[in-house]
């Protein structure tokens, strides 16, 4: 194997921690850069460096000792990564891909120009410009940069909503009549070989716009699943990614697939691959980083993934009590991120339920959600 290879991750969150967990199987020592000394990766990496992945100097000093660098979040300094790539350090995904994806307008415009269907959108520089586009309402307003988990997204139903709109560069996007939200993860290696996971279906909490749970396989026809896979591959090739790419899509009420958003890194919608698939998304990324062949993506078991959020302080009960009840059930896999408890709504962990059918997994997931609500206080 490639034990001597020095691998680095920009970002020390739970996605990085799950990558480290899989790196152990490959005998790799992974270095991590994150600002927060208490981030999940800090406890698993002996080469954890406190520093800002957005800082040019921090990324250069972290990366110059490495052979290969990847990311677990998009907010990283691409200028520094470009310098490191010039110096011969492998950067997967490339700085160009990261930069393209960092800005929602650039990302979607690029895809549109490549003939990939995205919702109709325009660029908005500030709140006052919205007044000139009231004919587009109702519409969806999204911050171009640093939005995640629905935090940079708001719906504008009528012109009075503009008063509370974001006052920064945004995209204003047609309100799509969404039948289903799905995601396909594509893995693409340095030689251009590509393999995809089965589409997953995301079910969102309509009030908070965060993921409620995620099913695999998605409840869509085989024809649509193939179409989604082909669209994801076309997207990965269009941006020329080396690494893994989550392609989030809308299946519209007219049965059209539109690409909503890309993530060039391990993604929530691939959490289930740890237990459900022959090769997890994390192992897949490591294989790409160290130049090993892509692994089989076969779905061995159907799954449902549920996020575990920090409850509101006045509702919070012991997670241990909830887990004692939940972990009595078979084929239930807990991933606790070890984050310090913070704001209500913070993602603290996730649970993957594997079953022979997705219906059976949903039945168990419903019971587990009720336990999380009653014993832990999760909304
Ligand atoms: P984030 O980057 O914060 O995850 P998304 O673009 O994925 O933002 O939007 C969050 C959620 O908002 C989506 O999952 C979807 O439910 C809803 N949404 C986003 N764009 C649209 C749209 N154009 N029309 C209707 N709903 C949308």
């Amino acid at each position: 194997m490639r034990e001597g290879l020095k691998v680095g991750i920009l970002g020390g969150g739970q996605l990085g921690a799950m990558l480290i967990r899989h790196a152990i199987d490959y005998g790799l020592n992974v270095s991590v850069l994150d600002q927060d000394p208490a981030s999940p990766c800090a406890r698993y990496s002996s080469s954890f460096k406190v520093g800002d992945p957005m800082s040019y100097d921090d990324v250069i000093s972290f990366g110059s000792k490495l052979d290969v660098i990847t990311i677990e979040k998009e907010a990283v300094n691409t200028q520094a990564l470009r310098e490191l790539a010039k110096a011969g350090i492998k950067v997967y995904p490339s700085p160009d891909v990261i930069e393209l994806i960092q800005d929602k307008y650039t990302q979607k415009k690029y895809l549109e120009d490549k003939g990939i269907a995205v919702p109709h959108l325009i660029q908005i520089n500030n709140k006052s410009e919205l007044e000139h586009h009231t004919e587009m309402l109702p519409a969806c307003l999204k911050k171009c940069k640093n939005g995640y988990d629905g935090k940079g997204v708001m719906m504008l139903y009528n012109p009075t909503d503009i008063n509370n709109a974001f006052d920064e560069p945004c995209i204003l996007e047609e309100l799509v009549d969404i039948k289903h939200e799905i995601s396909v993860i594509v893995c693409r290696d340095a030689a251009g070989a590509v393999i995809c996971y089965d589409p997953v279906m995301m079910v969102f909490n309509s009030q908070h716009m965060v993921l409620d749970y995620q099913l695999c396989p998605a409840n869509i026809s085989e024809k649509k699943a193939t179409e989604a896979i082909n669209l994801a591959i076309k997207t990965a090739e269009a941006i020329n990614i080396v690494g893994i790419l989550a392609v989030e899509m809308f299946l519209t009420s007219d049965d059209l697939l539109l690409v909503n958003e890309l993530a060039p890194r391990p993604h929530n919608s691939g959490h289930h691959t740890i237990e459900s698939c022959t090769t997890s998304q994390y192992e897949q990324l490591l294989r790409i980083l160290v130049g090993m062949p892509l692994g089989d993506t076969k779905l061995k078991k159907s799954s449902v993934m549920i996020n575990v959020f920090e409850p509101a302080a006045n509702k919070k009960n012991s997670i241990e009590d909830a887990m004692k009840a939940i972990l009595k059930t078979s084929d239930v896999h807990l991933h606790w991120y070890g984050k310090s408890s913070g704001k209500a709504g913070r993602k603290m962990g996730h649970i993957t339920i594997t079953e022979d059918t997705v219906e059976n997994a949903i039945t168990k997931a419903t019971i587990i959600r009720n336990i999380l609500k009653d014993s832990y206080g999760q909304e």
Side-chain angles (χ1 to χ4, degrees), residues 82-98:
R82 220 169 252 124
E83 289 302 316
L84 293 169
K86 262 195 235 150
I89 292 155
K90 291 195 166 73
V91 181
Y92 296 145
S94 72
D96 288 350
V97 166
I98 301 170

Side-chain angles (χ1 to χ4, degrees), residues 74 93-102 106-112 114 116 186 188 231-247 259 261-265:
E74 291 88 353
S94 72
D96 288 350
V97 166
I98 301 170
E99 214 164 83
L100 183 74
I101 289 176
Q102 278 174 339
T106 328
Q107 180 191 140
K108 284 186 152 160
K109 211 60 209 153
Y110 183 91
L111 295 179
E112 203 173 39
K114 293 280 178 182
I116 290 166
V186 193
R188 187 164 181 267
L231 181 59
I233 293 175
K234 184 176 173 186
T235 305
E237 287 174 345
I239 66 169
N240 196 21
I241 190 169
V242 176
I244 61 176
L245 181 72
V247 184
V259 172
E261 183 164 43
L262 307 179
R265 53 168 170 79

Side-chain angles (χ1 to χ4, degrees), residues 32-83:
V32 177
L33 180 73
D34 196 287
Q35 265 176 310
D36 180 4
S39 62
C41 286
R43 65 183 68 180
Y44 308 120
S45 169
S46 56
S47 336
F48 182 87
K49 297 277 176 296
V50 179
D52 183 359
M54 281 302 285
S55 147
Y56 178 87
D57 291 340
D58 289 358
V59 172
I60 292 284
S61 81
F62 171 76
S64 48
K65 300 172 206 86
L66 301 172
D67 297 306
V68 52
I69 304 180
T70 194
I71 58 168
E72 64 105 53
K73 60 178 193 176
E74 291 88 353
V76 297
N77 190 300
T78 49
Q79 202 197 340
L81 287 176
R82 220 169 252 124
E83 289 302 316

Side-chain angles (χ1 to χ4, degrees), residues 7 14 19 29 36 47 58 62 67 112 143 145 147 187 201 209 239 242 256 271 289 298 312 340:
V7 179
Q14 64 265 18
L19 196 55
N29 184 351
D36 180 4
S47 336
D58 289 358
F62 171 76
D67 297 306
E112 203 173 39
K143 290 183 185 174
K145 293 205 167 163
C187 316
M201 183 176 286
M209 283 197 277
I239 66 169
V242 176
L256 295 174
H271 281 336
L289 297 180
K298 199 171 86 211
S340 49

